PDB file of all heavy atoms in Angstrom:
ATOM      1  N   MET A  28     129.452 170.596  28.266  1.00 95.00           N
ATOM      2  CA  MET A  28     130.851 171.000  28.213  1.00 95.00           C
ATOM      3  C   MET A  28     131.394 170.929  26.782  1.00 95.00           C
ATOM      4  O   MET A  28     132.172 171.789  26.367  1.00 95.00           O
ATOM      5  CB  MET A  28     131.703 170.123  29.145  1.00 95.00           C
ATOM      6  CG  MET A  28     131.438 170.353  30.622  1.00 95.00           C
ATOM      7  SD  MET A  28     131.569 172.085  31.128  1.00 95.00           S
ATOM      8  CE  MET A  28     133.292 172.395  30.827  1.00 95.00           C
ATOM      9  N   ASP A  29     130.978 169.902  26.028  1.00 95.00           N
ATOM     10  CA  ASP A  29     131.390 169.806  24.631  1.00 95.00           C
ATOM     11  C   ASP A  29     130.894 171.012  23.836  1.00 95.00           C
ATOM     12  O   ASP A  29     131.629 171.580  23.029  1.00 95.00           O
ATOM     13  CB  ASP A  29     130.857 168.520  23.986  1.00 95.00           C
ATOM     14  CG  ASP A  29     131.592 167.275  24.458  1.00 95.00           C
ATOM     15  OD1 ASP A  29     132.675 167.416  25.060  1.00 95.00           O
ATOM     16  OD2 ASP A  29     131.057 166.167  24.257  1.00 95.00           O
ATOM     17  N   ARG A  30     129.641 171.406  24.077  1.00 95.00           N
ATOM     18  CA  ARG A  30     129.082 172.573  23.382  1.00 95.00           C
ATOM     19  C   ARG A  30     129.847 173.840  23.755  1.00 95.00           C
ATOM     20  O   ARG A  30     130.198 174.651  22.889  1.00 95.00           O
ATOM     21  CB  ARG A  30     127.602 172.731  23.727  1.00 95.00           C
ATOM     22  CG  ARG A  30     126.936 173.903  23.018  1.00 95.00           C
ATOM     23  CD  ARG A  30     125.468 174.015  23.374  1.00 95.00           C
ATOM     24  NE  ARG A  30     125.165 173.949  24.773  1.00 95.00           N
ATOM     25  CZ  ARG A  30     125.277 174.968  25.642  1.00 95.00           C
ATOM     26  NH1 ARG A  30     125.697 176.139  25.218  1.00 95.00           N
ATOM     27  NH2 ARG A  30     124.970 174.821  26.903  1.00 95.00           N
ATOM     28  N   ILE A  31     130.155 173.998  25.051  1.00 95.00           N
ATOM     29  CA  ILE A  31     130.896 175.184  25.503  1.00 95.00           C
ATOM     30  C   ILE A  31     132.287 175.206  24.879  1.00 95.00           C
ATOM     31  O   ILE A  31     132.753 176.247  24.397  1.00 95.00           O
ATOM     32  CB  ILE A  31     130.972 175.209  27.046  1.00 95.00           C
ATOM     33  CG1 ILE A  31     129.598 175.520  27.629  1.00 95.00           C
ATOM     34  CG2 ILE A  31     132.001 176.213  27.531  1.00 95.00           C
ATOM     35  CD1 ILE A  31     129.496 175.321  29.125  1.00 95.00           C
ATOM     36  N   ASN A  32     132.967 174.051  24.872  1.00 95.00           N
ATOM     37  CA  ASN A  32     134.303 173.986  24.276  1.00 95.00           C
ATOM     38  C   ASN A  32     134.265 174.269  22.781  1.00 95.00           C
ATOM     39  O   ASN A  32     135.132 174.963  22.250  1.00 95.00           O
ATOM     40  CB  ASN A  32     134.934 172.610  24.532  1.00 95.00           C
ATOM     41  CG  ASN A  32     135.340 172.430  25.975  1.00 95.00           C
ATOM     42  OD1 ASN A  32     135.581 173.395  26.687  1.00 95.00           O
ATOM     43  ND2 ASN A  32     135.400 171.191  26.417  1.00 95.00           N
ATOM     44  N   ARG A  33     133.255 173.742  22.088  1.00 96.00           N
ATOM     45  CA  ARG A  33     133.108 173.990  20.655  1.00 96.00           C
ATOM     46  C   ARG A  33     132.888 175.484  20.391  1.00 96.00           C
ATOM     47  O   ARG A  33     133.500 176.062  19.487  1.00 96.00           O
ATOM     48  CB  ARG A  33     131.939 173.158  20.124  1.00 96.00           C
ATOM     49  CG  ARG A  33     132.105 172.630  18.754  1.00 96.00           C
ATOM     50  CD  ARG A  33     131.000 171.701  18.270  1.00 96.00           C
ATOM     51  NE  ARG A  33     129.710 171.810  18.910  1.00 96.00           N
ATOM     52  CZ  ARG A  33     129.236 170.954  19.812  1.00 96.00           C
ATOM     53  NH1 ARG A  33     129.944 169.933  20.189  1.00 96.00           N
ATOM     54  NH2 ARG A  33     128.048 171.123  20.353  1.00 96.00           N
ATOM     55  N   GLU A  34     132.028 176.112  21.194  1.00 96.00           N
ATOM     56  CA  GLU A  34     131.762 177.544  21.014  1.00 96.00           C
ATOM     57  C   GLU A  34     133.016 178.367  21.296  1.00 96.00           C
ATOM     58  O   GLU A  34     133.291 179.341  20.592  1.00 96.00           O
ATOM     59  CB  GLU A  34     130.626 177.983  21.940  1.00 96.00           C
ATOM     60  CG  GLU A  34     129.266 177.477  21.510  1.00 96.00           C
ATOM     61  CD  GLU A  34     128.174 177.783  22.519  1.00 96.00           C
ATOM     62  OE1 GLU A  34     128.482 178.343  23.598  1.00 96.00           O
ATOM     63  OE2 GLU A  34     127.013 177.449  22.238  1.00 96.00           O
ATOM     64  N   ARG A  35     133.790 177.967  22.332  1.00 96.00           N
ATOM     65  CA  ARG A  35     135.024 178.687  22.646  1.00 96.00           C
ATOM     66  C   ARG A  35     136.031 178.544  21.509  1.00 96.00           C
ATOM     67  O   ARG A  35     136.663 179.521  21.100  1.00 96.00           O
ATOM     68  CB  ARG A  35     135.623 178.175  23.952  1.00 96.00           C
ATOM     69  CG  ARG A  35     136.848 178.999  24.386  1.00 96.00           C
ATOM     70  CD  ARG A  35     137.511 178.496  25.634  1.00 96.00           C
ATOM     71  NE  ARG A  35     138.053 177.173  25.373  1.00 96.00           N
ATOM     72  CZ  ARG A  35     137.902 176.137  26.166  1.00 96.00           C
ATOM     73  NH1 ARG A  35     137.221 176.253  27.282  1.00 96.00           N
ATOM     74  NH2 ARG A  35     138.427 174.970  25.875  1.00 96.00           N
ATOM     75  N   GLU A  36     136.169 177.336  20.961  1.00 96.00           N
ATOM     76  CA  GLU A  36     137.087 177.126  19.847  1.00 96.00           C
ATOM     77  C   GLU A  36     136.660 177.944  18.627  1.00 96.00           C
ATOM     78  O   GLU A  36     137.513 178.520  17.938  1.00 96.00           O
ATOM     79  CB  GLU A  36     137.146 175.638  19.488  1.00 96.00           C
ATOM     80  CG  GLU A  36     137.881 174.797  20.510  1.00 96.00           C
ATOM     81  CD  GLU A  36     137.713 173.302  20.288  1.00 96.00           C
ATOM     82  OE1 GLU A  36     137.017 172.906  19.316  1.00 96.00           O
ATOM     83  OE2 GLU A  36     138.260 172.533  21.093  1.00 96.00           O
ATOM     84  N   GLU A  37     135.354 177.996  18.372  1.00 96.00           N
ATOM     85  CA  GLU A  37     134.863 178.789  17.240  1.00 96.00           C
ATOM     86  C   GLU A  37     135.155 180.267  17.431  1.00 96.00           C
ATOM     87  O   GLU A  37     135.583 180.953  16.503  1.00 96.00           O
ATOM     88  CB  GLU A  37     133.364 178.565  17.052  1.00 96.00           C
ATOM     89  CG  GLU A  37     133.005 177.194  16.520  1.00 96.00           C
ATOM     90  CD  GLU A  37     131.510 176.910  16.543  1.00 96.00           C
ATOM     91  OE1 GLU A  37     130.726 177.801  16.959  1.00 96.00           O
ATOM     92  OE2 GLU A  37     131.115 175.802  16.143  1.00 96.00           O
ATOM     93  N   SER A  38     134.935 180.770  18.657  1.00 96.00           N
ATOM     94  CA  SER A  38     135.179 182.197  18.893  1.00 96.00           C
ATOM     95  C   SER A  38     136.676 182.504  18.845  1.00 96.00           C
ATOM     96  O   SER A  38     137.080 183.547  18.327  1.00 96.00           O
ATOM     97  CB  SER A  38     134.571 182.652  20.218  1.00 96.00           C
ATOM     98  OG  SER A  38     135.170 181.999  21.302  1.00 96.00           O
ATOM     99  N   GLU A  39     137.528 181.577  19.353  1.00 96.00           N
ATOM    100  CA  GLU A  39     138.975 181.786  19.257  1.00 96.00           C
ATOM    101  C   GLU A  39     139.423 181.778  17.801  1.00 96.00           C
ATOM    102  O   GLU A  39     140.297 182.559  17.413  1.00 96.00           O
ATOM    103  CB  GLU A  39     139.718 180.708  20.057  1.00 96.00           C
ATOM    104  CG  GLU A  39     139.609 180.883  21.557  1.00 96.00           C
ATOM    105  CD  GLU A  39     140.191 179.716  22.342  1.00 96.00           C
ATOM    106  OE1 GLU A  39     140.591 178.702  21.723  1.00 96.00           O
ATOM    107  OE2 GLU A  39     140.232 179.822  23.575  1.00 96.00           O
ATOM    108  N   ALA A  40     138.823 180.903  16.986  1.00 96.00           N
ATOM    109  CA  ALA A  40     139.157 180.858  15.557  1.00 96.00           C
ATOM    110  C   ALA A  40     138.736 182.156  14.876  1.00 96.00           C
ATOM    111  O   ALA A  40     139.464 182.679  14.017  1.00 96.00           O
ATOM    112  CB  ALA A  40     138.489 179.663  14.893  1.00 96.00           C
ATOM    113  N   MET A  41     137.580 182.698  15.265  1.00 96.00           N
ATOM    114  CA  MET A  41     137.120 183.965  14.685  1.00 96.00           C
ATOM    115  C   MET A  41     138.066 185.101  15.069  1.00 96.00           C
ATOM    116  O   MET A  41     138.392 185.954  14.234  1.00 96.00           O
ATOM    117  CB  MET A  41     135.696 184.274  15.156  1.00 96.00           C
ATOM    118  CG  MET A  41     134.646 183.404  14.513  1.00 96.00           C
ATOM    119  SD  MET A  41     132.987 183.615  15.186  1.00 96.00           S
ATOM    120  CE  MET A  41     132.740 185.371  15.095  1.00 96.00           C
ATOM    121  N   VAL A  42     138.511 185.120  16.327  1.00 96.00           N
ATOM    122  CA  VAL A  42     139.438 186.163  16.775  1.00 96.00           C
ATOM    123  C   VAL A  42     140.760 186.048  16.021  1.00 96.00           C
ATOM    124  O   VAL A  42     141.324 187.047  15.562  1.00 96.00           O
ATOM    125  CB  VAL A  42     139.660 186.074  18.304  1.00 96.00           C
ATOM    126  CG1 VAL A  42     140.828 186.934  18.753  1.00 96.00           C
ATOM    127  CG2 VAL A  42     138.392 186.470  19.046  1.00 96.00           C
ATOM    128  N   ALA A  43     141.253 184.805  15.871  1.00 95.00           N
ATOM    129  CA  ALA A  43     142.511 184.601  15.147  1.00 95.00           C
ATOM    130  C   ALA A  43     142.375 185.035  13.689  1.00 95.00           C
ATOM    131  O   ALA A  43     143.287 185.653  13.123  1.00 95.00           O
ATOM    132  CB  ALA A  43     142.932 183.138  15.234  1.00 95.00           C
ATOM    133  N   GLU A  44     141.252 184.725  13.073  1.00 96.00           N
ATOM    134  CA  GLU A  44     141.023 185.119  11.684  1.00 96.00           C
ATOM    135  C   GLU A  44     140.944 186.646  11.560  1.00 96.00           C
ATOM    136  O   GLU A  44     141.493 187.233  10.623  1.00 96.00           O
ATOM    137  CB  GLU A  44     139.750 184.464  11.153  1.00 96.00           C
ATOM    138  CG  GLU A  44     139.394 184.832   9.736  1.00 96.00           C
ATOM    139  CD  GLU A  44     140.422 184.418   8.700  1.00 96.00           C
ATOM    140  OE1 GLU A  44     141.282 183.566   8.983  1.00 96.00           O
ATOM    141  OE2 GLU A  44     140.383 184.975   7.581  1.00 96.00           O
ATOM    142  N   ALA A  45     140.279 187.288  12.504  1.00 96.00           N
ATOM    143  CA  ALA A  45     140.187 188.753  12.481  1.00 96.00           C
ATOM    144  C   ALA A  45     141.577 189.374  12.655  1.00 96.00           C
ATOM    145  O   ALA A  45     141.915 190.352  11.963  1.00 96.00           O
ATOM    146  CB  ALA A  45     139.241 189.242  13.573  1.00 96.00           C
ATOM    147  N   ALA A  46     142.386 188.808  13.548  1.00 93.00           N
ATOM    148  CA  ALA A  46     143.744 189.326  13.746  1.00 93.00           C
ATOM    149  C   ALA A  46     144.584 189.136  12.493  1.00 93.00           C
ATOM    150  O   ALA A  46     145.356 190.021  12.103  1.00 93.00           O
ATOM    151  CB  ALA A  46     144.398 188.622  14.938  1.00 93.00           C
ATOM    152  N   ARG A  47     144.444 187.976  11.835  1.00 95.00           N
ATOM    153  CA  ARG A  47     145.178 187.718  10.602  1.00 95.00           C
ATOM    154  C   ARG A  47     144.768 188.709   9.507  1.00 95.00           C
ATOM    155  O   ARG A  47     145.611 189.262   8.795  1.00 95.00           O
ATOM    156  CB  ARG A  47     144.930 186.288  10.124  1.00 95.00           C
ATOM    157  CG  ARG A  47     145.795 185.888   8.928  1.00 95.00           C
ATOM    158  CD  ARG A  47     145.288 184.653   8.237  1.00 95.00           C
ATOM    159  NE  ARG A  47     143.950 184.807   7.682  1.00 95.00           N
ATOM    160  CZ  ARG A  47     143.660 185.495   6.566  1.00 95.00           C
ATOM    161  NH1 ARG A  47     144.606 186.121   5.906  1.00 95.00           N
ATOM    162  NH2 ARG A  47     142.419 185.576   6.135  1.00 95.00           N
ATOM    163  N   MET A  48     143.468 188.958   9.397  1.00 96.00           N
ATOM    164  CA  MET A  48     142.974 189.907   8.394  1.00 96.00           C
ATOM    165  C   MET A  48     143.479 191.318   8.687  1.00 96.00           C
ATOM    166  O   MET A  48     143.872 192.047   7.768  1.00 96.00           O
ATOM    167  CB  MET A  48     141.444 189.877   8.348  1.00 96.00           C
ATOM    168  CG  MET A  48     140.889 188.594   7.754  1.00 96.00           C
ATOM    169  SD  MET A  48     139.088 188.458   7.885  1.00 96.00           S
ATOM    170  CE  MET A  48     138.563 189.872   6.931  1.00 96.00           C
ATOM    171  N   MET A  49     143.490 191.707   9.967  1.00 94.00           N
ATOM    172  CA  MET A  49     143.962 193.042  10.339  1.00 94.00           C
ATOM    173  C   MET A  49     145.448 193.190  10.036  1.00 94.00           C
ATOM    174  O   MET A  49     145.898 194.224   9.538  1.00 94.00           O
ATOM    175  CB  MET A  49     143.692 193.277  11.833  1.00 94.00           C
ATOM    176  CG  MET A  49     143.807 194.693  12.263  1.00 94.00           C
ATOM    177  SD  MET A  49     142.512 195.675  11.497  1.00 94.00           S
ATOM    178  CE  MET A  49     143.436 197.108  11.059  1.00 94.00           C
ATOM    179  N   LEU A  50     146.210 192.132  10.293  1.00 94.00           N
ATOM    180  CA  LEU A  50     147.634 192.162   9.993  1.00 94.00           C
ATOM    181  C   LEU A  50     147.868 192.305   8.485  1.00 94.00           C
ATOM    182  O   LEU A  50     148.744 193.044   8.045  1.00 94.00           O
ATOM    183  CB  LEU A  50     148.315 190.892  10.524  1.00 94.00           C
ATOM    184  CG  LEU A  50     149.833 190.856  10.454  1.00 94.00           C
ATOM    185  CD1 LEU A  50     150.433 191.999  11.268  1.00 94.00           C
ATOM    186  CD2 LEU A  50     150.346 189.521  10.959  1.00 94.00           C
ATOM    187  N   GLU A  51     147.050 191.638   7.701  1.00 95.00           N
ATOM    188  CA  GLU A  51     147.176 191.732   6.244  1.00 95.00           C
ATOM    189  C   GLU A  51     146.820 193.148   5.762  1.00 95.00           C
ATOM    190  O   GLU A  51     147.478 193.693   4.869  1.00 95.00           O
ATOM    191  CB  GLU A  51     146.283 190.691   5.570  1.00 95.00           C
ATOM    192  CG  GLU A  51     146.479 190.578   4.084  1.00 95.00           C
ATOM    193  CD  GLU A  51     147.919 190.291   3.676  1.00 95.00           C
ATOM    194  OE1 GLU A  51     148.626 189.547   4.384  1.00 95.00           O
ATOM    195  OE2 GLU A  51     148.347 190.841   2.636  1.00 95.00           O
ATOM    196  N   ILE A  52     145.805 193.739   6.356  1.00 95.00           N
ATOM    197  CA  ILE A  52     145.441 195.124   6.010  1.00 95.00           C
ATOM    198  C   ILE A  52     146.596 196.074   6.357  1.00 95.00           C
ATOM    199  O   ILE A  52     146.966 196.945   5.571  1.00 95.00           O
ATOM    200  CB  ILE A  52     144.138 195.543   6.732  1.00 95.00           C
ATOM    201  CG1 ILE A  52     142.951 194.786   6.143  1.00 95.00           C
ATOM    202  CG2 ILE A  52     143.923 197.048   6.665  1.00 95.00           C
ATOM    203  CD1 ILE A  52     141.672 194.917   6.944  1.00 95.00           C
ATOM    204  N   ASN A  53     147.174 195.884   7.547  1.00 94.00           N
ATOM    205  CA  ASN A  53     148.311 196.724   7.960  1.00 94.00           C
ATOM    206  C   ASN A  53     149.506 196.517   7.035  1.00 94.00           C
ATOM    207  O   ASN A  53     150.216 197.466   6.699  1.00 94.00           O
ATOM    208  CB  ASN A  53     148.707 196.417   9.407  1.00 94.00           C
ATOM    209  CG  ASN A  53     147.680 196.900  10.404  1.00 94.00           C
ATOM    210  OD1 ASN A  53     146.817 197.716  10.088  1.00 94.00           O
ATOM    211  ND2 ASN A  53     147.751 196.388  11.618  1.00 94.00           N
ATOM    212  N   ARG A  54     149.740 195.265   6.614  1.00 94.00           N
ATOM    213  CA  ARG A  54     150.852 194.968   5.700  1.00 94.00           C
ATOM    214  C   ARG A  54     150.661 195.713   4.368  1.00 94.00           C
ATOM    215  O   ARG A  54     151.578 196.356   3.879  1.00 94.00           O
ATOM    216  CB  ARG A  54     150.948 193.472   5.458  1.00 94.00           C
ATOM    217  CG  ARG A  54     152.052 193.064   4.479  1.00 94.00           C
ATOM    218  CD  ARG A  54     152.076 191.560   4.239  1.00 94.00           C
ATOM    219  NE  ARG A  54     152.299 190.799   5.439  1.00 94.00           N
ATOM    220  CZ  ARG A  54     153.485 190.592   5.995  1.00 94.00           C
ATOM    221  NH1 ARG A  54     154.565 191.101   5.435  1.00 94.00           N
ATOM    222  NH2 ARG A  54     153.597 189.884   7.090  1.00 94.00           N
ATOM    223  N   ARG A  55     149.462 195.636   3.815  1.00 95.00           N
ATOM    224  CA  ARG A  55     149.203 196.335   2.546  1.00 95.00           C
ATOM    225  C   ARG A  55     149.362 197.843   2.705  1.00 95.00           C
ATOM    226  O   ARG A  55     149.933 198.518   1.842  1.00 95.00           O
ATOM    227  CB  ARG A  55     147.800 195.993   2.029  1.00 95.00           C
ATOM    228  CG  ARG A  55     147.799 194.684   1.264  1.00 95.00           C
ATOM    229  CD  ARG A  55     146.492 194.419   0.561  1.00 95.00           C
ATOM    230  NE  ARG A  55     145.748 193.473   1.389  1.00 95.00           N
ATOM    231  CZ  ARG A  55     144.506 193.609   1.773  1.00 95.00           C
ATOM    232  NH1 ARG A  55     143.795 194.643   1.397  1.00 95.00           N
ATOM    233  NH2 ARG A  55     143.928 192.707   2.529  1.00 95.00           N
ATOM    234  N   HIS A  56     148.864 198.369   3.842  1.00 95.00           N
ATOM    235  CA  HIS A  56     148.991 199.815   4.088  1.00 95.00           C
ATOM    236  C   HIS A  56     150.461 200.204   4.175  1.00 95.00           C
ATOM    237  O   HIS A  56     150.878 201.219   3.594  1.00 95.00           O
ATOM    238  CB  HIS A  56     148.254 200.202   5.368  1.00 95.00           C
ATOM    239  CG  HIS A  56     148.274 201.677   5.637  1.00 95.00           C
ATOM    240  ND1 HIS A  56     149.319 202.297   6.290  1.00 95.00           N
ATOM    241  CD2 HIS A  56     147.389 202.657   5.322  1.00 95.00           C
ATOM    242  CE1 HIS A  56     149.074 203.590   6.379  1.00 95.00           C
ATOM    243  NE2 HIS A  56     147.899 203.840   5.798  1.00 95.00           N
ATOM    244  N   LEU A  57     151.266 199.404   4.890  1.00 93.00           N
ATOM    245  CA  LEU A  57     152.686 199.724   5.034  1.00 93.00           C
ATOM    246  C   LEU A  57     153.404 199.645   3.693  1.00 93.00           C
ATOM    247  O   LEU A  57     154.223 200.520   3.379  1.00 93.00           O
ATOM    248  CB  LEU A  57     153.348 198.782   6.051  1.00 93.00           C
ATOM    249  CG  LEU A  57     154.852 198.976   6.255  1.00 93.00           C
ATOM    250  CD1 LEU A  57     155.169 200.411   6.662  1.00 93.00           C
ATOM    251  CD2 LEU A  57     155.376 197.993   7.295  1.00 93.00           C
ATOM    252  N   GLU A  58     153.110 198.634   2.881  1.00 92.00           N
ATOM    253  CA  GLU A  58     153.743 198.521   1.561  1.00 92.00           C
ATOM    254  C   GLU A  58     153.434 199.745   0.708  1.00 92.00           C
ATOM    255  O   GLU A  58     154.324 200.304   0.052  1.00 92.00           O
ATOM    256  CB  GLU A  58     153.275 197.244   0.860  1.00 92.00           C
ATOM    257  CG  GLU A  58     153.844 195.976   1.473  1.00 92.00           C
ATOM    258  CD  GLU A  58     153.180 194.706   0.966  1.00 92.00           C
ATOM    259  OE1 GLU A  58     152.115 194.789   0.283  1.00 92.00           O
ATOM    260  OE2 GLU A  58     153.696 193.615   1.269  1.00 92.00           O
ATOM    261  N   GLU A  59     152.183 200.201   0.716  1.00 94.00           N
ATOM    262  CA  GLU A  59     151.805 201.402  -0.031  1.00 94.00           C
ATOM    263  C   GLU A  59     152.458 202.648   0.567  1.00 94.00           C
ATOM    264  O   GLU A  59     152.917 203.532  -0.163  1.00 94.00           O
ATOM    265  CB  GLU A  59     150.286 201.561  -0.041  1.00 94.00           C
ATOM    266  CG  GLU A  59     149.564 200.510  -0.858  1.00 94.00           C
ATOM    267  CD  GLU A  59     148.052 200.592  -0.714  1.00 94.00           C
ATOM    268  OE1 GLU A  59     147.544 201.580  -0.136  1.00 94.00           O
ATOM    269  OE2 GLU A  59     147.376 199.649  -1.169  1.00 94.00           O
ATOM    270  N   PHE A  60     152.528 202.705   1.905  1.00 93.00           N
ATOM    271  CA  PHE A  60     153.108 203.863   2.587  1.00 93.00           C
ATOM    272  C   PHE A  60     154.597 203.982   2.261  1.00 93.00           C
ATOM    273  O   PHE A  60     155.097 205.082   2.030  1.00 93.00           O
ATOM    274  CB  PHE A  60     152.888 203.738   4.099  1.00 93.00           C
ATOM    275  CG  PHE A  60     153.324 204.947   4.872  1.00 93.00           C
ATOM    276  CD1 PHE A  60     152.526 206.079   4.935  1.00 93.00           C
ATOM    277  CD2 PHE A  60     154.541 204.956   5.542  1.00 93.00           C
ATOM    278  CE1 PHE A  60     152.926 207.200   5.645  1.00 93.00           C
ATOM    279  CE2 PHE A  60     154.952 206.066   6.257  1.00 93.00           C
ATOM    280  CZ  PHE A  60     154.138 207.188   6.310  1.00 93.00           C
ATOM    281  N   ILE A  61     155.297 202.865   2.229  1.00 89.00           N
ATOM    282  CA  ILE A  61     156.732 202.885   1.921  1.00 89.00           C
ATOM    283  C   ILE A  61     156.967 203.397   0.496  1.00 89.00           C
ATOM    284  O   ILE A  61     157.896 204.164   0.246  1.00 89.00           O
ATOM    285  CB  ILE A  61     157.337 201.478   2.119  1.00 89.00           C
ATOM    286  CG1 ILE A  61     157.410 201.143   3.608  1.00 89.00           C
ATOM    287  CG2 ILE A  61     158.716 201.368   1.483  1.00 89.00           C
ATOM    288  CD1 ILE A  61     157.825 199.720   3.906  1.00 89.00           C
ATOM    289  N   ILE A  62     156.094 203.006  -0.416  1.00 91.00           N
ATOM    290  CA  ILE A  62     156.231 203.456  -1.811  1.00 91.00           C
ATOM    291  C   ILE A  62     155.947 204.949  -1.935  1.00 91.00           C
ATOM    292  O   ILE A  62     156.677 205.690  -2.583  1.00 91.00           O
ATOM    293  CB  ILE A  62     155.297 202.644  -2.735  1.00 91.00           C
ATOM    294  CG1 ILE A  62     155.779 201.198  -2.804  1.00 91.00           C
ATOM    295  CG2 ILE A  62     155.218 203.264  -4.125  1.00 91.00           C
ATOM    296  CD1 ILE A  62     154.794 200.252  -3.464  1.00 91.00           C
ATOM    297  N   THR A  63     154.887 205.412  -1.265  1.00 93.00           N
ATOM    298  CA  THR A  63     154.501 206.829  -1.396  1.00 93.00           C
ATOM    299  C   THR A  63     155.300 207.758  -0.490  1.00 93.00           C
ATOM    300  O   THR A  63     155.367 208.955  -0.754  1.00 93.00           O
ATOM    301  CB  THR A  63     153.002 207.017  -1.096  1.00 93.00           C
ATOM    302  OG1 THR A  63     152.723 206.529   0.212  1.00 93.00           O
ATOM    303  CG2 THR A  63     152.154 206.278  -2.119  1.00 93.00           C
ATOM    304  N   HIS A  64     155.898 207.232   0.571  1.00 90.00           N
ATOM    305  CA  HIS A  64     156.683 208.050   1.509  1.00 90.00           C
ATOM    306  C   HIS A  64     158.041 207.371   1.737  1.00 90.00           C
ATOM    307  O   HIS A  64     158.283 206.796   2.798  1.00 90.00           O
ATOM    308  CB  HIS A  64     155.957 208.213   2.846  1.00 90.00           C
ATOM    309  CG  HIS A  64     154.605 208.827   2.746  1.00 90.00           C
ATOM    310  ND1 HIS A  64     153.462 208.115   2.478  1.00 90.00           N
ATOM    311  CD2 HIS A  64     154.203 210.126   2.866  1.00 90.00           C
ATOM    312  CE1 HIS A  64     152.427 208.916   2.454  1.00 90.00           C
ATOM    313  NE2 HIS A  64     152.845 210.165   2.677  1.00 90.00           N
ATOM    314  N   PRO A  65     158.937 207.465   0.769  1.00 85.00           N
ATOM    315  CA  PRO A  65     160.187 206.704   0.851  1.00 85.00           C
ATOM    316  C   PRO A  65     161.113 207.101   2.002  1.00 85.00           C
ATOM    317  O   PRO A  65     161.894 206.282   2.465  1.00 85.00           O
ATOM    318  CB  PRO A  65     160.857 206.951  -0.498  1.00 85.00           C
ATOM    319  CG  PRO A  65     160.155 208.089  -1.116  1.00 85.00           C
ATOM    320  CD  PRO A  65     158.823 208.214  -0.460  1.00 85.00           C
ATOM    321  N   ASP A  66     161.038 208.289   2.510  1.00 85.00           N
ATOM    322  CA  ASP A  66     161.941 208.734   3.588  1.00 85.00           C
ATOM    323  C   ASP A  66     161.234 208.840   4.938  1.00 85.00           C
ATOM    324  O   ASP A  66     161.743 209.494   5.849  1.00 85.00           O
ATOM    325  CB  ASP A  66     162.543 210.107   3.235  1.00 85.00           C
ATOM    326  CG  ASP A  66     163.424 210.031   2.005  1.00 85.00           C
ATOM    327  OD1 ASP A  66     164.051 208.971   1.817  1.00 85.00           O
ATOM    328  OD2 ASP A  66     163.459 211.005   1.233  1.00 85.00           O
ATOM    329  N   SER A  67     160.102 208.208   5.093  1.00 87.00           N
ATOM    330  CA  SER A  67     159.318 208.348   6.333  1.00 87.00           C
ATOM    331  C   SER A  67     159.843 207.419   7.436  1.00 87.00           C
ATOM    332  O   SER A  67     160.610 206.492   7.194  1.00 87.00           O
ATOM    333  CB  SER A  67     157.854 208.027   6.049  1.00 87.00           C
ATOM    334  OG  SER A  67     157.742 206.715   5.568  1.00 87.00           O
ATOM    335  N   SER A  68     159.376 207.703   8.639  1.00 89.00           N
ATOM    336  CA  SER A  68     159.783 206.912   9.812  1.00 89.00           C
ATOM    337  C   SER A  68     158.611 206.042  10.294  1.00 89.00           C
ATOM    338  O   SER A  68     157.469 206.194   9.848  1.00 89.00           O
ATOM    339  CB  SER A  68     160.205 207.854  10.946  1.00 89.00           C
ATOM    340  OG  SER A  68     159.068 208.576  11.411  1.00 89.00           O
TER     341      SER A  68
END
């Protein structure tokens, strides 16, 4: 059970890290998009 819990925590940490990285990529894209398309929706 300790091994299963450790593996689950590791996979949840990997998912959280991937989500954080994706959010950062989207943030950079939006910042660039706002600069290049000032009147966009």
Side-chain angles (χ1 to χ4, degrees):
M28 291 307 295
D29 287 346
R30 181 179 48 80
I31 289 169
N32 288 336
R33 215 175 23 256
E34 288 173 357
R35 186 183 65 227
E36 288 169 1
E37 289 171 1
S38 63
E39 287 172 354
M41 287 173 52
V42 168
E44 178 62 17
R47 187 196 62 75
M48 290 173 61
M49 194 66 222
L50 188 60
E51 188 56 36
I52 290 169
N53 290 344
R54 178 182 300 279
R55 277 189 259 130
H56 183 275
L57 178 56
E58 289 169 349
E59 291 173 10
F60 186 79
I61 288 173
I62 292 169
T63 57
H64 302 85
D66 296 327
S67 60
S68 67

